[in-house]
Coordinates of all heavy atoms in Angstrom, one line a residue:
M1 N 120.9 103.8 116.4 CA 120.4 105.0 115.7 C 119.3 104.5 114.7 O 119.6 103.5 114.0 CB 121.4 105.7 115.0 CG 122.2 106.7 115.8 SD 123.2 107.8 114.9 CE 124.7 107.0 114.8
L2 N 118.2 105.1 114.7 CA 117.1 104.8 113.8 C 117.4 105.4 112.4 O 118.0 106.4 112.3 CB 115.8 105.3 114.3 CG 115.3 104.6 115.5 CD1 114.0 105.3 116.0 CD2 115.0 103.1 115.3
K3 N 116.9 104.7 111.4 CA 117.0 105.2 110.0 C 115.7 104.9 109.3 O 114.9 104.1 109.7 CB 118.2 104.6 109.3 CG 118.1 103.1 109.1 CD 119.4 102.6 108.5 CE 119.4 101.1 108.4 NZ 119.0 100.3 109.6
T4 N 115.5 105.6 108.2 CA 114.4 105.4 107.3 C 114.2 103.9 107.0 O 115.1 103.2 106.7 CB 114.5 106.1 106.0 OG1 114.8 107.5 106.3 CG2 113.2 106.0 105.2
G5 N 112.9 103.4 107.2 CA 112.6 102.0 106.9 C 112.6 101.1 108.1 O 112.2 100.0 108.0
D6 N 113.2 101.5 109.2 CA 113.2 100.7 110.4 C 111.8 100.6 110.9 O 111.0 101.5 110.8 CB 114.1 101.3 111.5 CG 115.6 101.2 111.3 OD1 116.0 100.4 110.4 OD2 116.3 102.0 111.9
Y7 N 111.5 99.4 111.5 CA 110.2 99.2 112.1 C 110.3 99.4 113.6 O 111.3 98.9 114.3 CB 109.7 97.8 111.8 CG 109.4 97.6 110.3 CD1 110.3 97.0 109.5 CD2 108.2 98.2 109.8 CE1 110.0 96.8 108.2 CE2 108.0 98.0 108.4 CZ 108.9 97.4 107.6 OH 108.6 97.3 106.3
V8 N 109.3 100.0 114.2 CA 109.3 100.3 115.7 C 107.9 100.1 116.3 O 106.9 100.0 115.5 CB 109.8 101.7 115.9 CG1 111.2 102.0 115.5 CG2 108.8 102.7 115.3
L9 N 107.9 99.9 117.6 CA 106.7 99.9 118.3 C 106.6 101.3 119.1 O 107.7 101.7 119.6 CB 106.6 98.8 119.4 CG 106.5 97.4 118.8 CD1 106.5 96.4 120.0 CD2 105.3 97.2 118.0
I10 N 105.5 101.9 119.1 CA 105.4 103.2 119.9 C 104.9 102.8 121.3 O 103.9 102.0 121.4 CB 104.5 104.2 119.2 CG1 104.5 105.5 119.9 CG2 103.0 103.7 119.0 CD1 103.9 106.7 119.1
I11 N 105.6 103.3 122.3 CA 105.3 103.0 123.7 C 104.0 103.7 124.1 O 103.0 103.2 124.5 CB 106.5 103.2 124.6 CG1 107.7 102.4 124.2 CG2 106.1 103.0 126.0 CD1 109.0 102.8 124.8
R12 N 104.1 105.1 124.1 CA 103.0 105.9 124.5 C 102.5 106.5 123.2 O 103.1 107.3 122.5 CB 103.5 107.0 125.4 CG 104.0 106.5 126.8 CD 104.6 107.7 127.6 NE 105.6 108.4 126.9 CZ 106.9 108.1 126.8 NH1 107.3 106.9 127.2 NH2 107.7 108.9 126.2
G13 N 101.2 106.2 122.9 CA 100.6 106.6 121.7 C 100.5 108.1 121.6 O 100.5 108.8 122.6
E14 N 100.5 108.6 120.4 CA 100.3 110.1 120.1 C 99.2 110.2 119.1 O 99.1 109.5 118.1 CB 101.6 110.6 119.4 CG 102.9 110.3 120.2 CD 103.2 111.4 121.2 OE1 102.6 112.5 121.1 OE2 104.1 111.2 122.1
D15 N 98.4 111.2 119.3 CA 97.3 111.5 118.4 C 96.5 110.2 118.0 O 96.0 109.6 118.9 CB 97.8 112.2 117.1 CG 98.4 113.5 117.5 OD1 98.0 114.2 118.4 OD2 99.4 113.9 116.8
D16 N 96.4 109.9 116.8 CA 95.6 108.7 116.3 C 96.4 107.4 116.3 O 95.9 106.3 115.9 CB 95.1 108.9 114.9 CG 94.0 110.0 114.9 OD1 93.2 110.0 115.8 OD2 94.1 110.9 114.0
V17 N 97.7 107.4 116.8 CA 98.5 106.2 116.8 C 98.5 105.7 118.3 O 99.0 106.4 119.2 CB 99.9 106.5 116.4 CG1 100.8 105.2 116.5 CG2 99.9 106.9 114.9
S18 N 97.9 104.6 118.5 CA 97.7 104.0 119.9 C 99.0 103.4 120.4 O 99.9 103.1 119.6 CB 96.6 103.0 119.9 OG 95.4 103.5 119.4
H19 N 99.0 103.2 121.7 CA 100.1 102.5 122.4 C 100.4 101.1 121.7 O 99.4 100.4 121.4 CB 99.8 102.2 123.8 CG 99.4 103.4 124.6 ND1 99.8 104.7 124.4 CD2 98.6 103.5 125.7 CE1 99.3 105.5 125.3 NE2 98.5 104.8 126.1
G20 N 101.6 100.8 121.5 CA 102.0 99.5 121.1 C 101.8 99.2 119.6 O 102.0 98.0 119.2
Q21 N 101.5 100.2 118.8 CA 101.3 99.9 117.4 C 102.6 99.8 116.6 O 103.6 100.4 117.0 CB 100.4 101.0 116.8 CG 99.0 100.9 117.2 CD 98.0 101.5 116.2 OE1 98.3 101.5 115.0 NE2 96.9 102.0 116.7
V22 N 102.6 99.0 115.6 CA 103.7 98.8 114.7 C 103.8 100.0 113.8 O 102.8 100.4 113.2 CB 103.6 97.5 113.9 CG1 104.8 97.4 112.9 CG2 103.5 96.3 114.8
C23 N 105.0 100.6 113.7 CA 105.2 101.8 112.9 C 106.4 101.7 112.1 O 107.3 100.9 112.4 CB 105.2 103.1 113.7 SG 103.8 103.3 114.8
K24 N 106.6 102.5 111.0 CA 107.8 102.5 110.2 C 108.3 103.9 110.2 O 107.6 104.9 110.2 CB 107.4 102.1 108.8 CG 108.6 102.1 107.9 CD 108.4 101.4 106.5 CE 107.0 101.5 105.9 NZ 106.9 101.0 104.6
V25 N 109.7 104.0 110.3 CA 110.4 105.3 110.4 C 110.4 105.9 109.0 O 110.7 105.2 108.0 CB 111.8 105.1 110.9 CG1 112.6 106.4 110.9 CG2 111.7 104.6 112.4
L26 N 110.1 107.2 108.9 CA 110.2 107.9 107.7 C 111.3 109.0 107.7 O 111.9 109.2 108.8 CB 108.9 108.7 107.4 CG 107.6 107.8 107.2 CD1 106.4 108.7 107.0 CD2 107.8 106.8 106.1
A27 N 111.6 109.6 106.6 CA 112.6 110.7 106.5 C 112.0 111.9 107.1 O 110.8 112.0 107.2 CB 113.1 110.9 105.1
P28 N 112.8 113.0 107.4 CA 112.2 114.2 107.9 C 111.2 114.9 107.0 O 110.3 115.6 107.5 CB 113.4 115.1 108.1 CG 114.6 114.2 108.3 CD 114.3 113.0 107.4
D29 N 111.3 114.6 105.7 CA 110.3 115.2 104.8 C 109.1 114.3 104.7 O 108.2 114.5 103.8 CB 110.9 115.5 103.4 CG 111.4 114.3 102.7 OD1 111.4 113.2 103.3 OD2 111.9 114.5 101.6
E30 N 109.0 113.3 105.5 CA 107.9 112.3 105.6 C 107.7 111.5 104.4 O 106.6 111.1 104.0 CB 106.5 113.1 106.0 CG 106.6 113.8 107.3 CD 105.4 114.6 107.7 OE1 104.4 114.6 106.9 OE2 105.4 115.2 108.8
T31 N 108.9 111.2 103.8 CA 108.9 110.2 102.6 C 109.8 109.0 103.1 O 110.2 109.0 104.2 CB 109.6 110.9 101.4 OG1 110.9 111.2 101.7 CG2 108.8 112.1 101.0
E32 N 110.0 108.1 102.1 CA 110.9 107.0 102.5 C 112.3 107.1 102.0 O 113.0 106.1 101.9 CB 110.2 105.7 101.9 CG 108.9 105.4 102.6 CD 108.3 104.0 102.3 OE1 109.1 103.1 102.1 OE2 107.1 103.9 102.4
T33 N 112.7 108.3 101.6 CA 114.1 108.5 101.2 C 115.0 108.3 102.4 O 114.6 108.5 103.6 CB 114.3 110.0 100.7 OG1 114.0 110.9 101.7 CG2 113.5 110.2 99.4
F34 N 116.3 107.9 102.1 CA 117.2 107.5 103.2 C 117.5 108.7 104.1 O 117.9 109.7 103.7 CB 118.5 106.9 102.7 CG 119.4 106.4 103.8 CD1 119.1 105.3 104.5 CD2 120.4 107.2 104.2 CE1 120.0 104.9 105.6 CE2 121.3 106.9 105.2 CZ 121.0 105.7 105.9
H35 N 117.5 108.4 105.4 CA 117.9 109.4 106.4 C 118.2 108.6 107.7 O 117.5 107.6 108.1 CB 116.8 110.4 106.7 CG 117.3 111.4 107.7 ND1 118.1 112.5 107.3 CD2 117.1 111.6 109.0 CE1 118.3 113.2 108.4 NE2 117.8 112.7 109.4
Q36 N 119.3 109.0 108.4 CA 119.7 108.4 109.6 C 119.6 109.4 110.7 O 120.0 110.5 110.5 CB 121.1 107.8 109.6 CG 121.5 107.0 110.8 CD 122.7 106.2 110.6 OE1 123.3 106.1 109.6 NE2 123.1 105.5 111.7
Y37 N 118.9 109.1 111.8 CA 118.7 110.0 112.9 C 119.7 109.9 114.0 O 120.2 108.9 114.3 CB 117.3 109.7 113.5 CG 116.2 110.1 112.6 CD1 115.6 109.1 111.7 CD2 115.7 111.4 112.5 CE1 114.6 109.5 110.8 CE2 114.7 111.7 111.6 CZ 114.1 110.7 110.8 OH 113.1 111.1 109.9
Q38 N 119.9 111.1 114.6 CA 120.7 111.1 115.9 C 119.8 110.8 117.0 O 118.6 110.9 116.9 CB 121.3 112.5 116.1 CG 122.2 113.0 114.9 CD 123.4 112.1 114.8 OE1 124.1 111.7 115.8 NE2 123.8 111.7 113.6
S39 N 120.4 110.4 118.1 CA 119.5 109.9 119.3 C 118.6 110.9 119.8 O 117.6 110.6 120.5 CB 120.4 109.3 120.3 OG 121.3 110.3 120.8
T40 N 118.9 112.2 119.6 CA 118.1 113.3 120.2 C 117.0 113.8 119.2 O 116.2 114.7 119.6 CB 119.0 114.5 120.7 OG1 119.7 114.9 119.5 CG2 119.9 114.0 121.8
D41 N 117.1 113.3 118.0 CA 116.1 113.8 117.0 C 114.7 113.3 117.2 O 114.5 112.2 117.6 CB 116.6 113.4 115.6 CG 117.9 114.0 115.1 OD1 118.3 115.0 115.6 OD2 118.5 113.4 114.2
W42 N 113.7 114.1 116.9 CA 112.4 113.7 116.8 C 112.2 112.9 115.4 O 112.9 113.2 114.5 CB 111.4 114.9 116.8 CG 111.2 115.4 118.2 CD1 112.1 116.0 118.9 CD2 110.0 115.3 119.0 NE1 111.5 116.3 120.2 CE2 110.3 115.9 120.2 CE3 108.8 114.7 118.7 CZ2 109.3 115.9 121.2 CZ3 107.8 114.7 119.7 CH2 108.1 115.4 120.9
V43 N 111.4 111.9 115.4 CA 111.3 111.0 114.3 C 109.8 110.9 113.8 O 108.9 110.7 114.6 CB 111.7 109.6 114.7 CG1 111.6 108.6 113.6 CG2 113.2 109.6 115.2
P44 N 109.6 111.1 112.5 CA 108.3 110.9 111.9 C 108.1 109.4 111.7 O 108.9 108.7 111.1 CB 108.3 111.7 110.6 CG 109.8 111.6 110.2 CD 110.6 111.6 111.4
I45 N 107.0 108.9 112.2 CA 106.7 107.5 112.0 C 105.3 107.3 111.4 O 104.4 108.1 111.7 CB 106.8 106.7 113.3 CG1 105.9 107.3 114.4 CG2 108.3 106.6 113.7 CD1 105.9 106.4 115.7
V46 N 105.1 106.3 110.6 CA 103.8 106.0 110.0 C 103.3 104.7 110.6 O 104.1 103.7 110.6 CB 103.8 106.0 108.5 CG1 104.6 104.9 107.9 CG2 102.4 105.9 108.0
C47 N 102.1 104.7 111.2 CA 101.5 103.5 111.8 C 101.0 102.6 110.7 O 100.7 103.0 109.5 CB 100.4 104.0 112.7 SG 99.5 102.6 113.4
W48 N 100.9 101.3 110.9 CA 100.4 100.3 109.9 C 99.0 100.7 109.5 O 98.6 100.2 108.4 CB 100.5 98.9 110.5 CG 99.6 98.6 111.5 CD1 99.7 98.8 112.9 CD2 98.3 98.0 111.4 NE1 98.6 98.4 113.6 CE2 97.7 97.9 112.7 CE3 97.6 97.5 110.3 CZ2 96.5 97.4 112.9 CZ3 96.3 97.0 110.5 CH2 95.8 96.9 111.8
T49 N 98.3 101.5 110.2 CA 96.9 101.8 109.8 C 96.9 103.1 109.0 O 95.9 103.6 108.5 CB 96.0 102.1 111.0 OG1 96.6 103.0 111.9 CG2 95.8 100.7 111.8
G50 N 98.1 103.7 108.7 CA 98.2 104.9 107.9 C 98.4 106.2 108.6 O 98.7 107.2 107.9
Y51 N 98.2 106.3 109.9 CA 98.4 107.5 110.6 C 99.8 107.8 110.9 O 100.7 106.9 111.1 CB 97.6 107.5 112.0 CG 96.2 107.4 111.8 CD1 95.5 106.2 112.1 CD2 95.4 108.5 111.4 CE1 94.1 106.1 111.9 CE2 94.0 108.4 111.3 CZ 93.4 107.2 111.6 OH 92.0 107.1 111.4
L52 N 100.2 109.1 110.8 CA 101.5 109.6 110.9 C 101.7 110.5 112.2 O 100.8 111.3 112.4 CB 102.0 110.3 109.7 CG 103.4 110.8 109.7 CD1 104.1 110.4 108.4 CD2 103.4 112.3 109.8
V53 N 102.8 110.3 112.9 CA 103.1 111.2 114.0 C 104.6 111.4 114.1 O 105.3 110.6 113.5 CB 102.6 110.6 115.4 CG1 101.1 110.5 115.5 CG2 103.2 109.3 115.7
W54 N 105.0 112.4 114.9 CA 106.4 112.6 115.2 C 106.6 112.2 116.6 O 105.7 112.5 117.5 CB 106.7 114.1 115.0 CG 106.9 114.5 113.6 CD1 105.9 114.7 112.6 CD2 108.1 114.7 112.9 NE1 106.5 115.0 111.4 CE2 107.8 115.1 111.6 CE3 109.5 114.7 113.3 CZ2 108.8 115.4 110.6 CZ3 110.4 115.1 112.4 CH2 110.1 115.4 111.0
S55 N 107.6 111.5 117.0 CA 107.9 111.1 118.3 C 109.3 111.2 118.7 O 110.2 111.1 117.8 CB 107.4 109.6 118.5 OG 107.6 109.1 119.8
I56 N 109.6 111.3 120.0 CA 111.0 111.2 120.5 C 111.4 109.7 120.4 O 110.6 108.8 120.5 CB 111.2 111.8 121.9 CG1 110.3 111.0 122.9 CG2 110.9 113.2 121.9 CD1 110.5 111.4 124.3
Q57 N 112.7 109.5 120.3 CA 113.2 108.1 120.1 C 113.0 107.3 121.4 O 112.9 106.0 121.3 CB 114.6 108.1 119.6 CG 114.7 108.6 118.2 CD 116.0 108.5 117.6 OE1 116.7 107.5 117.7 NE2 116.5 109.6 117.0
D58 N 113.0 107.9 122.6 CA 112.8 107.2 123.8 C 111.4 106.5 123.9 O 111.2 105.7 124.7 CB 113.0 108.1 125.0 CG 114.4 108.5 125.2 OD1 115.3 107.8 124.6 OD2 114.7 109.4 126.0
N59 N 110.5 107.0 123.0 CA 109.2 106.5 123.0 C 109.0 105.3 122.0 O 107.9 104.8 121.7 CB 108.2 107.6 122.6 CG 106.7 107.3 122.9 OD1 106.4 106.4 123.7 ND2 105.9 107.9 122.1
L60 N 110.1 104.9 121.3 CA 110.1 103.9 120.3 C 111.0 102.7 120.6 O 112.1 102.9 121.1 CB 110.5 104.6 118.9 CG 109.8 105.8 118.5 CD1 110.4 106.4 117.3 CD2 108.3 105.5 118.2
I61 N 110.5 101.6 120.3 CA 111.3 100.3 120.4 C 111.5 99.8 119.0 O 110.5 99.4 118.3 CB 110.6 99.3 121.3 CG1 110.3 99.9 122.7 CG2 111.4 98.0 121.4 CD1 109.4 99.0 123.5
E62 N 112.8 99.7 118.6 CA 113.1 99.1 117.3 C 112.8 97.6 117.3 O 113.1 96.9 118.3 CB 114.5 99.3 116.9 CG 114.9 99.0 115.5 CD 116.3 99.4 115.1 OE1 117.0 99.9 115.9 OE2 116.6 99.1 114.0
I63 N 112.1 97.1 116.3 CA 111.8 95.7 116.2 C 112.5 95.1 114.9 O 112.7 95.8 114.0 CB 110.3 95.4 116.2 CG1 109.6 96.1 115.0 CG2 109.7 95.8 117.5 CD1 108.1 95.8 114.9
D64 N 112.7 93.8 115.0 CA 113.3 93.2 113.8 C 112.5 91.9 113.6 O 111.8 91.4 114.4 CB 114.8 92.8 114.2 CG 115.6 92.4 113.0 OD1 115.1 92.7 111.8 OD2 116.7 91.8 113.1
G65 N 112.5 91.5 112.4 CA 111.8 90.3 112.0 C 111.8 90.1 110.5 O 112.6 90.7 109.8
N66 N 110.8 89.4 110.0 CA 110.7 89.2 108.6 C 110.1 90.5 108.0 O 108.9 90.7 108.1 CB 109.7 88.0 108.3 CG 109.6 87.7 106.9 OD1 109.6 88.5 106.0 ND2 109.5 86.4 106.6
R67 N 111.0 91.3 107.3 CA 110.6 92.6 106.8 C 109.4 92.5 105.8 O 108.6 93.3 105.8 CB 111.8 93.3 106.3 CG 112.8 93.6 107.3 CD 114.0 94.4 106.8 NE 113.7 95.8 106.5 CZ 113.6 96.7 107.3 NH1 113.7 96.5 108.6 NH2 113.3 98.0 106.9
A68 N 109.5 91.4 105.0 CA 108.4 91.3 104.0 C 107.1 91.1 104.6 O 106.0 91.6 104.2 CB 108.8 90.1 103.0
R69 N 107.0 90.3 105.7 CA 105.8 90.0 106.4 C 105.3 91.3 107.1 O 104.1 91.5 107.2 CB 105.9 88.9 107.4 CG 106.2 87.5 106.8 CD 105.1 87.0 105.9 NE 103.8 87.0 106.5 CZ 103.2 85.9 106.9 NH1 103.7 84.7 106.7 NH2 102.0 86.0 107.5
I70 N 106.2 92.0 107.7 CA 105.8 93.3 108.4 C 105.2 94.2 107.4 O 104.2 94.9 107.6 CB 107.0 93.9 109.2 CG1 107.4 92.9 110.3 CG2 106.6 95.2 109.8 CD1 108.7 93.3 111.0
E71 N 105.9 94.3 106.2 CA 105.4 95.2 105.2 C 104.1 94.8 104.7 O 103.3 95.7 104.3 CB 106.5 95.3 104.0 CG 106.2 96.4 103.0 CD 106.2 97.8 103.7 OE1 107.0 98.1 104.6 OE2 105.4 98.6 103.2
E72 N 103.8 93.5 104.6 CA 102.4 93.1 104.2 C 101.4 93.7 105.2 O 100.3 94.0 104.7 CB 102.3 91.5 104.3 CG 103.0 90.9 103.1 CD 103.0 89.4 103.3 OE1 102.1 88.8 104.1 OE2 103.7 88.7 102.6
L73 N 101.7 93.7 106.5 CA 100.8 94.3 107.4 C 100.5 95.8 107.1 O 99.3 96.2 107.1 CB 101.3 94.3 108.8 CG 100.5 94.9 109.9 CD1 99.2 94.2 110.1 CD2 101.3 94.9 111.2
F74 N 101.5 96.5 106.6 CA 101.3 97.9 106.2 C 100.4 98.0 105.0 O 99.5 98.8 104.9 CB 102.6 98.6 106.0 CG 103.3 99.1 107.3 CD1 104.0 98.2 108.1 CD2 103.2 100.4 107.7 CE1 104.6 98.6 109.2 CE2 103.8 100.8 108.9 CZ 104.5 99.9 109.6
Q75 N 100.6 97.1 104.0 CA 99.8 97.1 102.8 C 98.4 96.8 103.1 O 97.5 97.4 102.6 CB 100.4 96.1 101.8 CG 101.8 96.5 101.3 CD 101.9 97.9 100.8 OE1 101.1 98.3 100.0 NE2 102.9 98.6 101.2
L76 N 98.1 95.8 104.0 CA 96.8 95.5 104.4 C 96.1 96.7 105.2 O 95.0 97.0 104.9 CB 96.7 94.3 105.3 CG 97.0 93.0 104.6 CD1 97.2 91.9 105.7 CD2 95.9 92.6 103.7
G77 N 96.9 97.3 106.0 CA 96.3 98.4 106.8 C 96.0 99.6 106.0 O 95.0 100.3 106.1
F78 N 96.9 99.9 105.0 CA 96.7 101.1 104.1 C 95.5 100.9 103.2 O 94.8 101.8 102.8 CB 97.9 101.4 103.3 CG 99.1 102.0 104.1 CD1 100.3 102.1 103.5 CD2 99.0 102.3 105.5 CE1 101.4 102.6 104.2 CE2 100.1 102.7 106.2 CZ 101.3 102.9 105.5
S79 N 95.2 99.6 102.8 CA 94.2 99.4 101.8 C 92.8 99.0 102.4 O 91.9 98.8 101.7 CB 94.6 98.2 100.9 OG 94.7 97.0 101.6
R80 N 92.7 98.9 103.7 CA 91.5 98.5 104.3 C 90.4 99.6 104.1 O 90.7 100.8 104.0 CB 91.6 98.2 105.8 CG 91.8 99.4 106.7 CD 92.1 99.0 108.1 NE 92.0 100.1 109.0 CZ 92.7 101.2 109.0 NH1 93.6 101.4 108.0 NH2 92.5 102.1 109.8
I81 N 89.1 99.2 104.2 CA 88.0 100.1 104.0 C 87.1 99.9 105.2 O 86.8 98.8 105.6 CB 87.3 99.8 102.7 CG1 88.2 100.0 101.5 CG2 86.0 100.6 102.6 CD1 87.6 99.6 100.2
G82 N 86.6 101.0 105.7 CA 85.6 100.9 106.9 C 86.3 100.4 108.1 O 87.5 100.7 108.4
S83 N 85.6 99.7 108.9 CA 86.0 99.2 110.2 C 86.4 97.8 110.2 O 86.1 97.1 111.2 CB 85.0 99.5 111.3 OG 83.8 98.8 111.0
D84 N 87.0 97.3 109.2 CA 87.4 95.9 109.1 C 88.5 95.6 110.1 O 89.3 96.5 110.5 CB 87.9 95.6 107.7 CG 88.1 94.2 107.4 OD1 87.5 93.4 108.2 OD2 88.6 93.8 106.3
S85 N 88.6 94.3 110.6 CA 89.6 93.9 111.5 C 90.7 93.1 110.8 O 90.4 92.4 109.8 CB 89.1 93.0 112.6 OG 88.0 93.5 113.2
L86 N 91.9 93.2 111.2 CA 93.0 92.4 110.7 C 93.6 91.5 111.8 O 93.8 92.0 112.9 CB 94.1 93.3 110.1 CG 93.7 94.2 109.0 CD1 94.9 95.1 108.7 CD2 93.3 93.5 107.8
R87 N 93.8 90.3 111.5 CA 94.4 89.3 112.4 C 95.8 89.1 112.0 O 96.1 88.9 110.9 CB 93.7 88.0 112.4 CG 92.3 88.1 112.9 CD 91.6 86.8 112.9 NE 90.2 86.9 113.2 CZ 89.7 86.5 114.4 NH1 90.5 86.0 115.3 NH2 88.4 86.7 114.6
F88 N 96.7 89.2 113.0 CA 98.1 88.9 112.8 C 98.8 88.4 114.0 O 98.2 88.5 115.1 CB 98.9 90.1 112.2 CG 98.8 91.3 113.1 CD1 99.9 91.6 114.0 CD2 97.8 92.2 113.0 CE1 99.8 92.7 114.7 CE2 97.7 93.4 113.8 CZ 98.8 93.6 114.7

């Protein structure tokens, strides 16, 4: 079961979030307050570039790793200006 703060990859992109992007699970009110989802719930996710979408959980792959390093990617993505590229 996914919960707020989990990191996921989106399989089939939605709107401005492309296939395979790293995203973070948000609460139903689109904040970072704690919430745990049932397997049938739609989930709001924010992409590392700042775009937000709602997706079914079958479209998401939970990832694990160094949470601090993944969060750095989000900070870089949110603070970028223009069409700059990020390497990771």
Side-chain angles (χ1 to χ4, degrees):
M1 280 195 265
L2 292 176
K3 63 185 179 309
T4 306
D6 286 343
Y7 295 102
V8 295
L9 294 177
I10 189 166
I11 299 169
R12 292 175 310 281
E14 307 270 346
D15 300 327
D16 292 317
V17 178
S18 302
H19 308 328
Q21 289 207 29
V22 177
C23 301
K24 184 169 26 174
V25 175
L26 298 178
D29 61 358
E30 299 177 359
T31 65
E32 294 194 30
T33 58
F34 180 78
H35 184 80
Q36 188 165 358
Y37 290 93
Q38 299 300 316
S39 60
T40 57
D41 292 341
W42 281 70
V43 178
I45 56 172
V46 63
C47 174
W48 70 275
T49 56
Y51 293 106
L52 182 128
V53 296
W54 284 74
S55 180
I56 59 172
Q57 292 186 47
D58 288 346
N59 192 29
L60 305 173
I61 300 170
E62 188 173 3
I63 58 174
D64 196 12
N66 183 325
R67 296 183 72 77
R69 294 300 303 256
I70 297 171
E71 192 57 37
E72 284 177 17
L73 177 65
F74 280 80
Q75 296 308 314
L76 288 170
F78 291 173
S79 65
R80 75 189 192 297
I81 298 172
S83 60
D84 195 11
S85 312
L86 298 175
R87 294 178 186 257
F88 59 93

